[in-house]
Structures are given as structure tokens and as C-alpha cells.
Amino acid sequence: MSNSLFSELVNKFDINLNINEIKAFGNGHINDTYLVRTLPEEAPNYILQRKNHKIFKDVEGMMNNIVIATSHIRNQLVAAGETEVDRKVMTYYPAKDGKMFVNDDEGNFWTLFLFISDSQGVENIQKPEQAYSAARAFGHFQFQLSDLPGEQLIETIPNFHNGISRFNDFKTAIANDAAGRVSDNQLLINKIIERSENMTSIQKWLNDKILPLRITHNDTKINNVLFDKDGNTLCIIDLDTVMPGSALYDFGDAIRTIGNKAPEDEPDLKKIIFNQEIYEAFAKGYLSEAKTFLTPLEIESLPFSCRYMAWEQAMRFLADYLNGDTYYKTDYPGHNLVRALAQIRYLEVLEENREVMEAIVKEG
Ligand code: ADP
Ligand code: GN1
Ligand code: MG
């Protein structure tokens, strides 16, 4: 898209900006993110983000969730006398027509929010202290939303972490065999199927109301926490999937990304190693915030949630590969298969480390 088209989009928002440049930013698998730099140098910068409306089918409802959640947190911060509110919670801007997005001529949905200056997202956590702080930030985020009535929020992607419906989608992908890739991947497919009975238990507990439904983030990749330059956490970002869910998904997904010494698409399976030190720091940080509101079953199931999220993610990547790569952005042919193989290997590694993971959570 040309600079003038970008500027045209930004001008539809209810904010006057003197744009210096707009450039691609970030490396998510779903949305497209652009940094809007403004003049003078010291003025705030912004992020323009195209929401993937093929995946988020109700962008208006999603933005409504985000406004409800961020306003709720903002009110708490103001009431507590917090001075740097705009660095502790996301600030989204409305369009001139009052909506929280603008549409372009092709029907895409664009949103604008404040770029939190002097902040950084971390792709690979190396230090246990960072894991401890990030865990506290995610736990605190759940706490901040714990008194918000869940009925106000929609499911931005229905059944997002529902293991039963994800497994049904997976079986459909196998039955359709749209890309003719099933027969070559039977071994991997079986690794998912043989664990399905056990893995769908979180959803069964939610259905039976044995587990509480909370308002959770649902995409707790570690790069969704912003740190300041001194390593303190600032704010939780990427709020597209804030909706009713289980606290277990947030814990498990964070460990999926940082409890593994290798990235989620590591092709060399020997490099996929459990990072016990980071897991321990994350578990301790999370529990220091969340112990007060989690139920005993939730606490006891934290190690299981890590295995669940690895299984779910392996299944999602593999289903996408079998469907012909229609969901995730990929960098090369076969990328989704590499991701699925890496996630299954990580699941096996977590299974090997089950006892130590349970012992760490018991210690609190
Ligand atoms: P995606 O859904 O594609 O992961 P994000 O909303 O997480 O997109 O944004 C992509 C990247 O942009 C983040 O990982 C982070 O580095 C940066 N980013 C996002 N929001 C902010 C913000 N409010 N302030 C500063 N940087 C941000
Ligand atoms: C997607 O957008 P991004 O990269 O933060 C996905 C997550 C997956 C993740 C795997 C809406 O997250 O659920 O865990 O990729 N988001 C959506 O890396 O599907
Ligand atoms: Mg993100």
C-alpha cells in the first residue's frame, strides 16, 4: 500500500497526527502491524494494525471487548493513583464516525493505538527474572479482569481453545485431505489422536463447571508483554483474544513459548529442550499473583495445561498444513509441518519432565 493510502486511513481516525513515516512492524502470524512515526520527534508514535477479518469474523465485537477490558483496567489504574496509565494499559483510538476501526476500499479493518515508547517485546526469554516478571504481569492481567462480568464479552474466535472442537476440526481436516498430505503424515497424526482422550479434559471440566470460566488473554506468547528498558513489565498487548476462557490456557501457552529452549518452528528436533529454570521462574511469578484467586484444581492442573497447549498448537499447525496452509502466515513451503513436528516433540519433552513440573508447582 502506498504512503498516501496509509495516510488516508490514519486521517479517518479522530486524532490529528503529523505523520513522518509508516513502516511494517512486528512478526505476528495473523494481523499486519505498522508503526506510524510522527513529528516532532518527541511526539507519541502509533500503531496501525490491520485485523485479519477472515479469522476475527466480528471485528466490531472484538473491538468492543477490547474497549470494555482496557477501560476497566484504566479505571482501576486511575483509582489507584497510577501516574503512567498510558504505559500500563493499551490506548485505542476511535474513528471520526465513532467506530473503533476504519474500513479501506477492499473491506479490510484497520485499528489505531498508541505505541508505548521505550518499550520492547521479548521474543526469546533468557533470564529467569524476565520470566518471573512476565508471569506476574499475565497473572496480574487476569486479576485486573477478574471482577468484570464475562457476559459483556463475545468469543472473538468461537471455541478458540476448546480442545473438543479443535479435535473435531482436526478430524475434518484429515477426512477432507484437501492438500493430499494425510498419507505422508500418518505417524504424526496418530501422535495427536492417541492423546485426544486425555487432552480434551480441560474442556470437559469447563463444560461440567468443575473449572471456572474467567476472562483471560488467550494468546500469552511472551512477546505479548512489553518491558521497559530497565526490564520492568509495562503492559499486556495483543488483546484480540481477550474473552471468556480458562486461566490454564494462559499459563500453558506462555510455557509453550518460553519453556522451550528452541523456537516454536525449530526444524532440528534435538534442540527442543525443556527450560526448567525458566519454567520454575514463570510458575513462581504466576502463582505469586494468581494463587489468591485460582482454585485448587486450576493450580494442580498448571503442568498439564502446558502439555495441553503444546498438543493443541501441534494439532492447529498440522490441521492447517493438511488444509493447504490457509490460516497461519508461513515463511516457506512446509513451514506448518515443521511447526507441528516441533510442537509434538516439545509435548514429548514436557511429558518426560512431568514430575519435576508438578513438584515445582506444589512448592508454590
Ligand atoms: P500480532 O497479533 O501480529 O502478534 P501485536 O499486536 O502483538 O500483533 O503487535 C506486534 C508487535 O508490535 C508486538 O510484538 C510488539 O513488539 C509491538 N507492539 C504491539 N503493540 C504495541 C504497543 N502498544 N506499544 C509498543 N509496541 C507494541
Ligand atoms: C497466532 O497472532 P499471533 O502470532 O500472536 C495465533 C495463536 C497461536 C500463535 C502461534 C488468533 O498468534 O493462537 O498460538 O499464532 N493467534 C490466533 O504462534 O490464532
Ligand atoms: Mg502479538
Side-chain angles (χ1 to χ4, degrees):
M1 192 178 320
S2 72
N3 270 353
S4 64
L5 280 176
F6 271 128
S7 304
E8 216 177 281
L9 274 175
V10 173
N11 288 334
K12 289 190 186 171
F13 286 93
D14 194 14
I15 181 169
N16 272 333
L17 304 181
N18 184 5
I19 300 170
N20 182 11
E21 63 163 352
I22 300 183
K23 59 175 187 191
F25 192 72
N27 56 0
H29 296 349
I30 309 291
N31 297 316
D32 297 311
T33 306
Y34 298 86
L35 177 62
V36 181
R37 294 172 60 84
T38 66
L39 288 170
E41 264 324 295
E42 61 282 5
N45 295 318
Y46 298 82
I47 290 185
L48 180 68
Q49 193 168 59
R50 179 167 61 186
K51 299 293 184 188
N52 188 325
H53 64 282
K54 300 214 168 72
I55 288 176
F56 297 105
K57 296 201 166 67
D58 178 3
V59 176
E60 189 154 15
M62 172 173 86
M63 292 311 297
N64 190 45
N65 275 13
I66 292 179
V67 168
I68 291 173
T70 53
S71 308
H72 187 75
I73 295 176
R74 185 173 297 274
N75 290 341
Q76 289 172 353
L77 293 170
V78 170
E82 174 61 53
T83 46
E84 294 195 300
V85 173
D86 289 348
R87 294 174 70 71
K88 301 277 167 76
V89 64
M90 297 267 291
T91 309
Y92 274 84
Y93 297 92
K96 288 185 174 131
D97 65 4
K99 292 192 173 139
M100 292 307 293
F101 55 85
V102 302
N103 286 115
D104 64 18
D105 292 345
E106 287 162 17
N108 292 306
F109 290 75
W110 295 84
T111 58
L112 186 78
F113 51 90
L114 181 69
F115 176 80
I116 298 175
S117 58
D118 297 318
S119 70
Q120 52 177 357
V122 181
E123 290 298 324
N124 292 306
I125 281 211
Q126 304 295 347
K127 295 194 226 133
E129 305 83 65
Q130 284 175 313
Y132 185 85
S133 307
R136 286 195 62 134
F138 280 129
H140 189 61
F141 183 79
Q142 290 179 344
F143 175 71
Q144 287 171 312
L145 296 178
S146 60
D147 59 345
L148 182 63
E151 312 80 61
Q152 293 183 35
L153 302 189
I154 62 151
E155 279 190 89
T156 61
I157 299 180
N159 299 316
F160 190 54
H161 288 308
N162 178 333
I164 298 171
S165 76
R166 288 276 178 201
F167 186 56
N168 285 337
D169 293 347
F170 180 66
K171 286 189 287 192
T172 305
I174 297 170
N176 291 346
D177 196 11
R181 293 169 169 173
V182 168
S183 61
D184 284 348
N185 294 288
Q186 206 57 62
L187 226 85
L188 188 56
I189 289 171
N190 289 346
K191 287 192 183 195
I192 297 203
I193 294 176
E194 71 203 15
R195 290 167 171 85
S196 59
E197 181 60 31
N198 181 236
M199 288 296 162
T200 43
S201 49
I202 296 182
Q203 189 57 43
K204 288 177 198 141
W205 295 335
L206 283 171
N207 292 351
D208 295 344
K209 304 206 171 4
I210 297 170
L211 264 187
L213 203 57
R214 303 180 184 281
I215 297 175
T216 50
H217 185 278
N218 294 300
D219 188 7
T220 48
K221 270 163 113 161
I222 212 64
N223 61 8
N224 286 331
V225 187
L226 292 183
F227 290 84
D228 69 14
K229 32 183 194 326
D230 300 322
N232 304 307
T233 56
L234 289 170
C235 146
I236 301 293
I237 59 165
D238 205 347
L239 307 180
D240 302 348
T241 49
V242 170
M243 59 181 158
S246 165
L248 293 177
Y249 303 139
D250 284 359
F251 182 85
D253 206 28
I255 294 303
R256 186 183 71 74
T257 54
I258 58 170
N260 181 352
K261 290 197 176 180
E264 71 177 4
D265 58 352
E266 174 59 57
D268 182 353
L269 300 185
K270 289 192 297 298
K271 291 192 182 153
I272 297 177
I273 296 167
F274 178 56
N275 196 332
Q276 187 179 320
E277 209 187 9
I278 294 286
Y279 168 82
E280 180 159 10
F282 192 91
K284 290 202 163 23
Y286 179 68
L287 284 170
S288 74
E289 277 289 330
K291 209 162 36 182
T292 53
F293 61 84
L294 294 182
T295 65
L297 178 62
E298 284 176 308
I299 296 179
E300 186 187 301
S301 308
L302 291 173
F304 173 63
S305 76
C306 306
R307 300 196 294 280
Y308 171 74
M309 288 308 295
W311 176 79
E312 184 200 286
Q313 196 62 65
M315 180 165 68
R316 290 177 62 192
F317 283 143
L318 187 54
D320 197 31
Y321 181 68
L322 299 180
N323 287 333
D325 307 311
T326 58
Y327 187 91
Y328 294 105
K329 291 181 191 168
T330 53
D331 296 336
Y332 53 86
H335 196 172
N336 274 320
L337 178 60
V338 169
R339 288 167 169 158
L341 284 161
Q343 291 297 291
I344 280 289
R345 178 61 203 139
Y346 184 54
L347 172 56
E348 290 167 350
V349 166
L350 291 175
E351 287 168 350
E352 287 156 19
N353 284 277
R354 177 179 171 159
E355 280 175 20
V356 68
M357 290 173 77
E358 289 176 352
I360 287 168
V361 165
K362 271 209 189 90
E363 264 172 36

